[in-house]
Amino acid sequence: MMRQAVAGDDETYHRLLRQVTPVLRAAARRGLARAGQPADQSEDIVQEILLAVHLKRHTWDVTAPFAPWLFAIARNKLIDALRRRGRRIFVNIDDFAETLADEPAAPKVSAAEVDAQLQTLPQRQRDVLQSIAVEASSIKQTAARFAMTEGAVRVALHRALSSLTAKLREQ
Amino acid sequence: MRMETDQLIRTLVADNAQRVLPVGIILLLALMAATPVSTAMLLLGLGVRPDVMLAMRNPFFDLKFVVTMALAISAATVSLHLSRPEASLQGWGWLLIAPIVVVSGGIVSEMMLPQRLPMLARLVGHNSLLCMSAIPVLSLPILAAAMIGLRHGAPARPAAAGAIAGLLSAGAAATLYASHCTDDSPLFVATWYTIAAGIVAGLGALIGKRVLRY
């Protein structure tokens, strides 16, 4: 399946990503639970893994089995995310007392970290992402809407995904 | 703006047409761009040793290139392997023994031949300090290129991949430096070239730890 997907079969690629997502979600939940973290943060990790799988799909050797490659990326991203959370919790302890009194706990949303980093993308990239991801427009429709060439939309989209990944890694 | 996972998946599919060249090609292109820079640094900064035509008839002079090229090629192969997310050093690390085997063979054959200089003098050589500093300096452009190439990969262990990239660039830099170096004894090579490669490998590990995460 992955062989067809990397060869450019978008429909197969879509099906593949949808099929692996529940597996990744379960793994992320297990990892969070084992680290004593709330499982409702799993969606951030799932999205980070999917982004890495997508951006690094050229490192999969078409003659090698797919599962070890996928799980190696998933494990890498999960460890990264847990390490980051460990550090962040430690940092938060300092200002906990001051914020506790007057600020209610932030409502839990599905992928809070990814959403937060989305806000920091350049306007144009965000427009393109909004159009394609949220409004389900095609590349063509998006190009017409923003008076861009299709090539420029593709580039903006790819940049948006790359810099989103970089921001999530460095946060 | 919020993005559900299903929406993200749809977006990734929309981006599927965007192709990236294989890591090996990008690594090769980057190295090909950096090698002339290091070569120019050698030619302008140090130059080739004046008796190079004569030296080429000395098998121990030629052996230096075999050792350093063996290091560069084996490290390039291993670092390319390590650029994959599921890869480990297991089963591949032994490739790095190749230059050690060659230099050990050189030491043994030198021992069996009559020598004008005592062993210690051959080991200490004429200019070990220059060797230890020139190789790391010459390796810098190549190390940068190797990092750029490997960043397109997804190494499971960024520090290890960085260290091997360091060995690769030290091997390439040492191949260049060997044409300047007047110390041909395999004992000299085994000692000082190894220290120089170790320095670059350490540097590569430090840089790799930061820039090779994906």
Side-chain angles (χ1 to χ4, degrees):
Chain A
M1 225 171 149
M2 183 66 175
R3 208 159 293 142
Q4 285 174 29
V6 293
D9 181 345
D10 290 352
E11 220 165 284
T12 309
Y13 189 43
H14 199 174
R15 207 142 31 92
L16 176 90
L17 291 178
R18 290 175 66 109
Q19 275 179 18
V20 300
T21 298
V23 183
L24 299 178
R25 191 174 288 129
R29 283 175 175 274
R30 258 198 318 275
L32 284 165
R34 213 176 301 132
Q37 303 276 337
D40 55 9
Q41 295 175 359
S42 64
E43 220 48 29
D44 272 316
I45 300 176
V46 169
Q47 294 198 3
E48 248 193 282
I49 298 171
L50 287 170
L51 276 164
V53 164
H54 175 71
L55 292 173
K56 297 299 179 185
R57 64 199 189 285
H58 60 278
T59 66
W60 176 63
D61 174 357
V62 290
T63 60
F66 176 61
W69 178 85
L70 174 71
F71 291 135
I73 291 183
R75 197 180 315 120
N76 185 303
K77 285 292 165 185
L78 180 60
I79 290 170
D80 248 22
L82 292 177
R83 199 176 288 157
R84 217 159 52 215
R85 280 176 175 73
R87 194 157 54 212
R88 181 156 333 140
I89 283 166
F90 181 71
V91 170
N92 277 353
I93 290 171
D94 290 320
D95 28 55
F96 194 58
E98 292 155 41
T99 54
L100 190 67
D102 49 353
E103 273 183 21
K108 297 285 179 220
V109 289
S110 55
E113 282 185 355
V114 175
D115 293 340
Q117 296 301 329
L118 279 173
Q119 312 308 328
T120 67
L121 291 177
Q123 187 64 41
R124 171 87 337 159
Q125 291 180 14
R126 221 164 49 200
D127 288 344
V128 168
L129 214 48
Q130 170 87 22
S131 170
I132 289 169
V134 183
E135 288 151 33
S137 307
S138 67
I139 300 255
K140 205 176 198 147
Q141 290 165 332
T142 307
R145 189 160 138 210
F146 295 116
M148 295 164 77
T149 64
E150 286 183 36
V153 171
R154 287 182 192 283
V155 169
L157 178 63
H158 191 73
R159 290 230 175 105
L161 295 173
S162 303
S163 56
L164 181 60
T165 303
K167 284 169 188 288
L168 286 165
R169 182 176 55 226
E170 306 304 338
Q171 69 184 336
Chain B
M1 177 177 178
R2 278 188 53 191
M3 191 161 57
E4 305 291 339
T5 300
D6 275 350
Q7 296 174 333
L8 173 68
I9 290 175
R10 190 163 63 216
T11 313
L12 299 182
V13 173
D15 190 51
N16 192 27
Q18 206 67 240
R19 299 262 151 238
V20 183
L21 287 169
V23 185
I25 305 273
I26 293 177
L27 181 63
L28 189 69
L29 290 174
L31 291 176
M32 274 164 56
T35 308
V37 178
S38 293
T39 310
M41 281 164 67
L42 172 85
L43 295 178
L44 298 175
L46 297 169
V48 174
R49 61 191 265 187
D51 64 340
V52 65
M53 294 317 271
L54 198 69
M56 274 196 272
R57 271 183 251 154
N58 174 0
F60 289 112
F61 176 76
D62 302 333
L63 187 75
K64 288 195 293 186
F65 296 91
V66 180
V67 175
T68 55
M69 276 170 13
L71 175 64
I73 292 167
S74 61
T77 312
V78 175
S79 68
L80 193 57
H81 169 72
L82 282 186
S83 74
R84 292 168 44 194
E86 79 276 37
S88 76
L89 264 178
Q90 228 169 18
W92 288 75
W94 62 267
L95 265 177
L96 297 171
I97 297 170
I100 301 172
V101 171
V102 177
V103 82
S104 310
I107 291 174
V108 171
S109 35
E110 197 195 41
M111 296 282 186
M112 295 193 297
L113 294 168
Q115 295 293 329
R116 275 178 295 138
L117 288 169
M119 211 166 96
L120 195 65
R122 279 180 277 141
L123 190 150
V124 172
H126 298 101
N127 217 336
S128 55
L129 215 59
L130 179 66
C131 167
M132 270 194 307
S133 45
I135 291 176
V137 170
L138 291 175
S139 75
L140 290 179
I142 300 170
L143 183 60
M147 291 292 171
I148 290 170
L150 292 178
R151 259 181 79 92
H152 284 269
R157 292 170 58 200
I164 308 292
L167 289 180
L168 144 66
S169 48
T175 306
L176 294 170
Y177 177 74
S179 66
H180 169 82
C181 173
T182 51
D183 294 298
D184 296 332
S185 168
L187 279 172
F188 182 91
V189 175
T191 311
W192 306 107
Y193 280 47
T194 305
I195 294 174
I199 293 170
V200 187
L203 182 66
L206 281 177
I207 300 174
K209 203 173 169 183
R210 278 159 215 276
V211 308
L212 293 184
R213 288 172 61 219
Y214 66 93

